[in-house]
């Protein structure tokens, strides 16, 4: 899982040592993500399955895509589809995905890059592996996160951010045992490049065997840790955490993650996503690709999509006959 890495973490800016008066966040629950399939059939782990929506707010959905080694001809993506009322965040650690949308956004997501798409009032988009990757096969691993928008921003015009891997803020734990990639938001005064309407923090951390990472965390944010690979523990009580498991934390201002001294031989490091945000605390009605505040708004979204009011598939992207068709201010 290379994403963005460095040879010597001690050359990076370091997180400060945790304040002794800080209050550790307790672990409220650990759940195991069930596996499933998305789009045209690529494998995913549903990270938020079985967790109360109130504990996830402002996040709606998290899929771990892969990790899978495709044979030639096997890589798959998603067909054209609509979204309204939230933001999609696609982060690629291995392999590549191409994004196109009806608002003019697009590009290749690879090598630790992130695509941040604000669907807002409505957009059509497609994500698929490049043709050369379809032909060759290869390793594929990424995540897609859905971030809710407050009622006041659900009707904003769509926007698109392309965050290249080299733009990600890189930090080290005080002893160099953990590499922290800040994608959006802020940790210990260090800001990530992603601009968000909803105040959140999103980071990807890699912990060497036996390493311990203590993060200062905003008290008004919730706190979630999802293990992408490896084994370790979370919280002051070192509750066991392994790949495809999500830990939900309670109140406090410090977040502790540790990698086991006896790692899995296949994945010696512990890789985790750490995310948290300020709860929106508004009604949420989700149906498929629409996340709104009421059933009436979801029905309107379907009607607007069917009437073509969420955009038009660019002409050069329309499939051949016989095939299915289907920056904001930073918040800290």
């Amino acid at each position: 899982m290379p994403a963005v890495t460095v040879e010597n973490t001690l050359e990076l800016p370091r997180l400060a040592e945790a304040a002794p008066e800080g209050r550790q966040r307790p672990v409220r629950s650990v759940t195991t993500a069930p596996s499933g399939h998305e789009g045209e059939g690529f494998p995913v782990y549903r990270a938020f399955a079985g967790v109360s929506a109130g504990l996830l707010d402002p996040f709606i959905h998290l899929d771990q895509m892969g990790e899978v080694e495709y044979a030639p001809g096997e890589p798959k993506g998603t067909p054209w589809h609509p979204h309204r009322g939230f933001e999609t965040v696609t982060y690629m650690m291995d392999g590549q995905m191409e994004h196109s949308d009806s608002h003019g956004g697009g590009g290749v997501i690879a090598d630790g890059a992130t695509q941040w798409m604000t669907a807002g009032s409505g957009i059509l988009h497609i994500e698929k592996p490049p043709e050369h990757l379809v032909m060759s096969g290869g390793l594929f691993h990424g995540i897609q996160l859905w971030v809710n928008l407050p009622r006041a921003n659900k009707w904003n015009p769509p926007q698109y951010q392309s965050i290249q891997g080299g733009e990600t803020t890189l930090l080290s734990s005080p002893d160099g045992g953990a590499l922290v990639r800040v994608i959006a938001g802020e940790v210990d005064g260090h800001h990530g490049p992603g601009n968000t309407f909803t105040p959140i923090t999103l980071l990807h951390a890699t912990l060497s065997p036996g390493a311990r990472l203590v993060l200062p965390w905003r008290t008004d944010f919730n706190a979630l840790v999802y293990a992408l690979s490896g084994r370790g523990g979370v919280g002051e009580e070192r509750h066991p955490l392994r790949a495809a498991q999500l830990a939900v934390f309670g109140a406090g201002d410090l977040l502790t993650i540790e990698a086991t001294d006896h790692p899995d031989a296949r994945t010696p490091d512990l890789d985790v996503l750490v995310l948290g945000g300020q709860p929106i605390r508004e009604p949420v009605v989700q149906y498929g690709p629409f996340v709104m505040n009421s059933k009436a708004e979801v029905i309107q979204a379907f009607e607007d999509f069917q009437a073509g009011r969420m955009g038009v598939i660019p002409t050069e992207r329309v499939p051949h006959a016989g095939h299915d068709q289907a920056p904001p201010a930073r918040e800290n």
Side-chain angles (χ1 to χ4, degrees):
M1 187 185 301
V4 177
T5 191
V6 295
E7 289 188 7
N8 184 3
T9 55
L10 292 176
E11 295 178 352
L12 298 172
R14 300 190 200 183
L15 294 163
E17 293 279 0
E21 68 274 14
R23 186 161 60 105
Q24 285 281 348
R25 285 180 176 248
V27 177
R28 296 185 59 165
S29 66
V30 173
T31 53
T32 301
S35 60
H37 291 84
E38 186 56 81
E40 296 171 335
F42 61 84
V44 297
Y45 288 98
R46 307 288 193 193
F48 289 167
V51 181
S52 167
L55 297 175
L56 300 172
D57 185 11
F59 306 108
I60 300 293
H61 177 82
L62 176 61
D63 271 350
Q64 179 182 3
M65 305 180 292
E67 180 177 2
V68 59
E69 183 76 41
Y70 280 125
E74 287 186 343
K76 299 174 177 67
T78 67
W80 283 95
H81 59 282
H83 288 303
R84 172 179 281 178
F86 64 102
E87 298 182 295
T88 66
V89 181
T90 304
Y91 171 56
M92 292 299 300
M93 292 161 281
D94 294 290
Q96 300 180 5
M97 288 288 275
E98 289 181 342
H99 165 91
S100 297
D101 65 50
S102 57
H103 200 68
V108 176
I109 318 166
D111 303 322
T114 303
Q115 163 210 276
W116 204 293
M117 187 183 77
T118 303
S121 60
I123 197 169
L124 307 178
H125 83 140
I126 185 173
E127 289 173 312
K128 60 184 180 65
E131 187 61 30
H132 72 85
L133 186 58
V134 175
M135 298 298 292
S136 67
L139 187 60
F140 176 86
H141 193 193
I143 65 103
Q144 185 167 98
L145 173 70
W146 291 11
V147 185
N148 197 12
L149 287 171
R151 188 193 308 270
N153 298 117
K154 285 190 179 295
W155 299 94
N156 284 18
Q159 299 201 37
Y160 177 82
Q161 299 174 71
S162 176
I163 303 169
Q164 297 305 306
E167 299 173 321
T168 304
T169 301
L170 302 181
L171 306 171
S172 167
S173 58
D175 64 359
L179 170 63
V180 178
R181 308 164 186 86
V182 186
I183 299 168
E186 174 270 337
V187 62
D188 193 31
H190 302 275
H191 295 266
N195 293 320
T196 72
F197 283 103
T198 305
I200 71 167
T201 292
L202 172 64
L203 58 88
H204 169 200
T206 301
L207 286 75
S208 301
R212 185 171 187 259
L213 176 63
V214 182
L215 297 168
W217 209 250
R218 279 180 51 164
T219 57
D220 60 337
F221 277 21
N222 61 357
L224 312 168
V225 172
Y226 178 74
L228 297 161
S229 65
R231 294 186 299 162
V234 285
E236 200 168 30
E237 64 274 35
R238 300 182 181 177
H239 197 295
L241 187 76
R242 56 178 171 79
Q245 288 189 325
L246 176 77
V248 178
F249 291 78
D253 53 20
L254 294 176
L255 198 59
T256 296
I257 308 160
E258 296 188 25
T260 180
D261 286 319
H262 307 287
D264 185 315
R266 188 182 70 86
T267 54
D269 296 332
L270 172 65
D271 271 272
V272 295
L273 283 181
V274 187
L275 58 160
Q278 193 172 65
I280 297 173
R281 296 192 176 93
E282 293 177 352
V284 175
V285 179
Q286 179 194 351
Y287 194 90
F290 307 126
V291 181
M292 305 302 292
N293 295 115
S294 68
K295 181 179 178 180
E297 289 175 329
V298 170
I299 292 172
Q300 180 183 350
F302 273 102
E303 292 174 349
D304 288 347
F305 166 58
Q306 292 167 349
R309 289 190 284 268
M310 290 191 184
V312 177
I313 298 174
T315 302
E316 66 273 16
R317 298 288 186 175
V318 175
H320 296 295
H323 291 256
D324 294 336
Q325 298 187 26
R330 183 191 299 274
E331 295 280 3
N332 296 315

